[in-house]
């Protein structure tokens, strides 16, 4: 029955969306080529002198769908050397879980689906606004360093998924091609994520913000790359013979990317090397395991109205970067040999598409999976894989005011072969400023 629901969801999406796209209107917007969009409100300064700075503020090439739009309210200095923007969005959602519920607030984390299904947790109604966000962004130009930026983003999820409290999401400084601060890992290909109302996104999508220094040069109009030195977030599952210790070596991620179609399509190959330290209490010594990951990701704009998204990774000891596995202790796990730990084999992938019906309406859908290998010895109730299906629709009532409707289906399967599932309908009201 559960497999039939999943197959029916995928089949319906695959059948309906291409048909709608075939009749879609062209969504090319000539205004995209100007530096100061109509939505920008210039509160002071000369917009002509600072047009290149505003162009940087409105660059969306690295943004994930859930990231706030470019700041709407702009302050420009008289000489056109500094532009400061204030923006963000209010995001309110209401959701109803049926035939299985996840008690994670507005997030739909398939790892947390009860196995077996909890009869007392079959249905749930919930409303949330703590993913509303604020951002401050400054862009400047100097004769010595070229362009520089400062970016700060917050939301209100600081007291947990169901609480309200200010939380710092990003805070970084960028000078030329060098970025330092709290932001997305170099492994994250934000533009390759399928649009969803669910902020966490598909189970098999990479999503990790960390403190880093990265260098991201652009070699020409098509080729770019990046390499970083990042703070190593590491999650362990230990027993009485091993323990977690402080990490001593930063994570080293890197990528190379080729883009075409004016940046509307790209393919990226990424890699990650990690040194994961732990304490062997039997031998009374520190040991380490090498973690690594390789990822292929990107987006393809087949026609102006239809975009295909994809990403997939495989490796060992990188589970902290995967949406469904982050914080669950699967970077290193104790092995069957006392005093030893292992970096489990991990895989994740996501495929999705977006179809623009017209300039105000678009639909999107995805299928995603995260999987762990060789951990049956931890117990039959150990997570083996999770699946995530989304079908979403978005409509812009007026510029910057968006409503949406989304259906999510998720399953969790353990090493015992038992599984649980959940379904969710979510409504969205969002105002960007």
């Amino acid at each position: 029955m559960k497999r039939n629901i999943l197959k029916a969801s995928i089949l319906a999406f695959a059948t309906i969306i291409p048909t709608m796209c075939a009749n879609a209107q062209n969504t090319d917007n000539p205004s995209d080529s100007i530096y100061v969009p109509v939505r920008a409100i210039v509160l002071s300064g000369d917009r002509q002198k600072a047009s290149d700075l505003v162009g940087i503020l409105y660059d969306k090439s690295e943004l994930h769908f859930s990231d706030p739009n470019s700041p709407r309210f702009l302050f420009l200095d008289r000489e056109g050397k500094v532009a400061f923007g204030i923006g963000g969005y209010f995001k309110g959602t209401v959701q109803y879980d049926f035939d299985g519920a996840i008690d994670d607030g507005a997030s739909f984390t398939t790892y947390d689906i009860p196995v077996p299904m909890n009869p007392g947790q079959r249905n749930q109604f919930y409303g949330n606004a703590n993913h509303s966000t604020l951002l401050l962004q400054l862009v400047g130009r100097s004769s010595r360093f070229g362009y520089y930026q400062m970016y700060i983003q917050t939301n209100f999820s600081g007291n947990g998924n169901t609480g309200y409290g200010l939380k710092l999401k990003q805070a970084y400084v960028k000078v030329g091609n060098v970025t330092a601060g709290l932001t997305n890992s170099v492994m994250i290909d934000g533009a390759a994520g399928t649009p969803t109302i669910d902020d966490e996104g598909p189970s098999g999508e990479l999503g990790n913000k960390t403190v880093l220094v990265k260098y991201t040069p652009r070699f020409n109009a098509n080729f770019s790359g990046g390499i970083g030195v990042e703070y190593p977030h590491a999650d362990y599952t230990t027993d009485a013979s091993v323990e977690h210790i402080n990490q001593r070596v930063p994570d080293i991620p890197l990528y190379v990317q080729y883009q075409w179609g004016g940046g509307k399509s790209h393919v990226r190959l990424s890699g990650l090397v990690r040194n994961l330290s732990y304490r062997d209490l039997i031998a009374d010594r520190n040991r380490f395991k090498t973690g690594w990951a390789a990822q292929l990701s990107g987006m393809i704009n087949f026609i102006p109205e239809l975009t295909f998204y994809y990403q997939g990774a495989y490796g060992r000891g990188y589970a902290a970067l995967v949406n469904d596995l982050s914080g669950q202790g699967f970077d290193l796990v104790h092995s069957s040999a006392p005093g030893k730990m292992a970096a489990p084999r991990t895989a994740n992938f996501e495929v999705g598409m977006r179809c623009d019906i017209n300039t105000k309406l678009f639909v999107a859908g995805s299928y995603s999976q995260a999987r762990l290998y060789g951990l049956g010895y931890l117990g039959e109730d150990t997570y083996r894989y999770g699946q995530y299906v989304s079908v979403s629709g978005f409509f812009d009532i007026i510029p910057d005011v968006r409503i949406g409707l989304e259906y999510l289906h998720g399953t969790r399967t353990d090493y015992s072969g038992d599984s649980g599932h959940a379904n969710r309908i979510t409504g969205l009201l969002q105002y960007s400023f």
Side-chain angles (χ1 to χ4, degrees):
M1 178 63 180
K2 301 169 202 173
R3 293 182 178 177
N4 290 338
I5 293 175
L6 181 60
K7 291 179 179 178
S9 300
I10 298 172
L11 181 60
F13 177 73
T15 303
I16 295 171
I17 300 306
T19 303
M20 298 173 72
C21 288
N23 300 313
Q25 300 179 20
N26 191 308
T27 58
D28 286 345
N29 186 354
S31 66
D32 289 343
S33 61
I34 67 173
Y35 277 124
V36 184
V38 175
R39 75 180 293 273
I41 299 176
V42 179
L43 300 177
S44 67
D46 188 332
R47 68 169 62 197
Q48 297 303 321
K49 291 182 178 180
S51 61
D52 57 334
L53 303 181
V54 180
I56 295 174
L57 285 172
Y58 274 75
D59 178 17
K60 302 179 182 180
S61 59
E62 293 295 325
L63 292 182
H64 188 277
F65 179 77
S66 63
D67 288 330
N69 207 335
S70 305
R72 186 173 188 184
F73 299 95
L74 306 180
F75 297 86
L76 313 175
D77 75 333
R78 293 182 179 180
E79 297 181 355
K81 293 183 177 180
V82 177
F84 177 71
I86 302 173
Y89 57 71
F90 159 78
K91 181 176 183 178
T93 60
V94 293
Q95 64 197 46
Y96 183 71
D97 289 9
F98 61 97
D99 193 22
I102 304 177
D103 191 16
D104 263 344
S107 298
F108 193 80
T109 308
T110 60
Y111 182 93
D112 293 331
I113 295 175
V115 179
M117 180 181 289
N118 181 356
Q121 196 173 312
R122 292 181 60 88
N123 303 81
Q124 176 184 232
F125 177 80
Y126 183 73
N128 185 275
N130 69 6
H131 285 287
S132 300
T133 188
L134 298 172
L135 76 89
L136 305 174
Q137 186 174 5
L138 180 146
V139 178
R141 183 195 327 107
S142 73
S143 57
R144 184 172 182 179
F145 299 107
Y147 292 109
Y148 60 89
Q149 297 185 54
M150 179 276 293
Y151 187 96
I152 296 177
Q153 179 194 350
T154 67
N155 69 10
F156 299 90
S157 62
N159 289 330
N161 289 336
T162 59
Y164 291 86
L166 197 64
K167 177 182 179 179
L168 182 64
K169 291 199 68 178
Q170 296 192 79
Y172 63 83
V173 174
K174 182 176 182 180
V175 180
N177 295 321
V178 178
T179 303
L182 172 66
T183 187
N184 286 327
S185 166
V186 173
M187 282 291 289
I188 307 305
D189 187 354
T194 308
T196 60
I197 295 175
D198 175 28
D199 280 272
E200 180 172 300
S203 59
E205 186 174 300
L206 291 189
N208 179 52
K209 290 181 171 60
T210 187
V211 175
L212 54 74
V213 176
K214 64 180 179 179
Y215 175 60
T216 53
R218 180 171 294 281
F219 306 115
N220 54 42
N222 301 107
F223 281 99
S224 60
I227 186 170
V229 177
E230 302 184 352
Y231 175 78
H233 295 279
D235 300 324
Y236 293 179
T237 296
T238 60
D239 63 7
S241 67
V242 292
E243 70 177 6
H244 185 287
I245 61 175
N246 294 330
Q247 300 305 299
R248 305 176 179 186
V249 179
D251 292 349
I252 307 295
L254 70 163
Y255 74 85
V256 61
Q257 175 174 304
Y258 177 79
Q259 70 175 36
W260 66 98
K264 294 181 179 180
S265 300
H266 76 263
V267 58
R268 177 182 294 190
L269 180 63
S270 308
L272 170 69
V273 177
R274 316 184 72 192
N275 183 290
L276 301 169
S277 303
Y278 70 95
R279 183 73 175 175
D280 179 348
L281 298 177
I282 303 297
D284 196 28
R285 60 178 295 185
N286 295 336
R287 300 184 185 275
F288 72 90
K289 284 287 184 180
T290 299
W292 62 273
Q295 176 181 241
L296 181 68
S297 62
M299 55 189 291
I300 303 175
N301 185 226
F302 291 108
I303 56 175
E305 300 85 9
L306 182 62
T307 302
F308 174 71
Y309 305 93
Y310 62 94
Q311 56 182 279
Y314 177 82
R316 289 181 177 271
Y318 74 98
L321 280 69
V322 182
N323 279 347
D324 215 25
L325 303 177
S326 179
Q328 305 303 334
F330 291 120
D331 287 332
L332 284 186
V333 301
H334 64 83
S335 73
S336 54
K340 301 296 178 63
M341 300 196 77
R345 290 186 295 132
T346 306
N348 63 279
F349 72 88
E350 170 193 352
V351 291
M353 66 175 74
R354 167 176 170 162
C355 175
D356 290 87
I357 308 303
N358 54 44
T359 57
K360 294 184 177 182
L361 173 66
F362 69 92
V363 294
S366 71
Y367 173 75
S368 181
Q369 187 177 133
R371 183 180 288 265
L372 295 167
Y373 297 89
L375 296 183
Y377 68 90
L378 294 180
E380 291 188 344
D381 61 348
T382 302
Y383 173 103
R384 188 172 186 179
Y385 64 90
Q387 300 179 89
Y388 180 108
V389 175
S390 69
V391 179
S392 315
F394 300 87
F395 180 72
D396 296 332
I397 304 174
I398 59 175
D400 298 314
V401 177
R402 173 171 290 171
I403 59 174
L405 187 65
E406 179 170 82
Y407 167 69
L408 299 176
H409 173 78
T411 63
R412 168 182 166 148
T413 301
D414 292 344
Y415 270 88
S416 64
D418 295 332
S419 63
H421 60 274
N423 297 274
R424 175 174 295 176
I425 297 291
T426 303
L428 165 74
L429 174 61
Q430 180 172 313
Y431 173 69
S432 300
F433 58 88

